[in-house]
Structure formats: C-alpha cells, structure tokens
Amino acid sequence: PIANFARLKALLLPAEGDLVTTLHFTLDDHGRCIVTGEVAGPVRLHCKGCAQDMAYELRGELRTVLVRTDDEARALMPASDVLVVEHDSLALVELLEDELILDLPDVVCGRFESCPNRPRLQYGAAEDVAKSPFGALAKLLGQPADDRDPKGHG
C-alpha cells in the first residue's frame, strides 16, 4: 500500500492505493547482493505545468548493489547504484521510495507546450497594450477598453 511510503504519500493526491512490486535478489561474482526489480501503480499528482491534478502511472526500476563498507561503495560508483548496509536487515520500502521519488515528474501532462490545461501565456495583442496598458485586461473582463492616451492627451 502507498500508505507504507511515508515520504512518497506526502507528494500524492490522495495518498491511497497499491503499488505492485517485483524484486529479485542475486549474488555477483564477489558475493555482493544485487537487488533488481520494478515498482508500479496508478497515482494522482499535481502538475506544476498546468496546475491540474492528474492521473499518472508511476513506474520505477531498481538495480542496486548492497555492500558493507564505504570503501566498497566508492570502488563501484558511479558505474553502479550502491547502498551501504551496515546491519543484517534492510528496509526495502525506503530503498524503493527513493527510486520512486526520483522518478516523479514535475510536469505530469507530458509536454507543457501542448497541454490542453496550461494557462494562457498571452492575454492581449501588443497594440492593445500600446493604446492603453489596461486594454488587454479590459478585454478579458468583457469591458470596452478606454482608448484615451494614458497621459490624458486624447
């Protein structure tokens, strides 16, 4: 359940539902544990591009080498994702949660330029602004624009 992912659920709207997880554990030639797998599920996110709440298929892939020391980790990085495990147990939720949070998009709706919900970026013709600085705003409000010179000359 998403409720088990404390940091992730704070970023979702609403924070409910289930994520399907598949993990495989293998040993490499040096006896180190390698965790591979994926986690996926439907969530709702707030799109920072168009300011709408939208459905999104969250999907994260994982390939992490578990090591015991910082020296082992330094020897494997940056070629591998590495996690130093100092004890005999590992909180898998935290490992998965980091990957999922990194995979969250800022713009959920895809390309901001083609989003049907994006806010308009231009609200009036340039000549409207030249006549009156508030001419474009008047058009938006459905009122006739005051075409007088802003300095009172006409």
Side-chain angles (χ1 to χ4, degrees), residues 21-29 31-39 60-67 76 79-85 87-97 99:
T21 305
T22 304
L23 297 176
H24 302 280
F25 298 85
T26 57
L27 296 177
D28 69 6
D29 295 338
R32 295 179 291 240
C33 182
I34 300 174
V35 183
T36 58
E38 63 180 44
V39 57
E61 292 186 8
L62 177 72
R63 187 183 190 290
T64 303
V65 180
L66 306 181
V67 297
L76 295 171
S80 299
D81 284 338
V82 180
L83 178 65
V84 177
V85 180
H87 307 289
D88 289 334
S89 63
L90 170 66
L92 291 176
V93 166
E94 291 177 19
L95 180 62
L96 295 170
E97 189 170 41
E99 291 299 320

Side-chain angles (χ1 to χ4, degrees), residues 22-153:
T22 304
L23 297 176
H24 302 280
F25 298 85
T26 57
L27 296 177
D28 69 6
D29 295 338
H30 301 284
R32 295 179 291 240
C33 182
I34 300 174
V35 183
T36 58
E38 63 180 44
V39 57
V43 297
R44 290 196 64 77
L45 295 171
H46 184 75
C47 181
K48 293 178 182 152
C50 65
Q52 300 290 314
D53 295 345
M54 305 187 81
Y56 180 75
E57 183 65 27
L58 184 59
R59 181 174 305 278
E61 292 186 8
L62 177 72
R63 187 183 190 290
T64 303
V65 180
L66 306 181
V67 297
R68 291 281 186 187
T69 67
D70 289 334
D71 290 336
E72 279 184 280
R74 276 191 288 277
L76 295 171
M77 294 188 313
S80 299
D81 284 338
V82 180
L83 178 65
V84 177
V85 180
E86 297 174 354
H87 307 289
D88 289 334
S89 63
L90 170 66
L92 291 176
V93 166
E94 291 177 19
L95 180 62
L96 295 170
E97 189 170 41
D98 289 342
E99 291 299 320
L100 291 172
I101 289 172
L102 290 172
D103 288 340
L104 289 175
D106 285 333
V107 179
V108 182
C109 60
R111 295 192 45 130
F112 179 68
E113 296 81 21
S114 62
C115 175
N117 299 316
R118 80 175 189 158
R120 288 181 31 203
L121 300 179
Q122 186 174 3
Y123 291 97
E127 63 270 3
D128 289 342
V129 175
K131 290 180 188 175
S132 168
F134 298 105
L137 179 60
K139 279 188 175 181
L140 285 174
L141 296 174
Q143 299 172 357
D146 186 356
D147 290 333
R148 288 182 294 153
D149 183 335
K151 295 179 182 173
H153 299 291

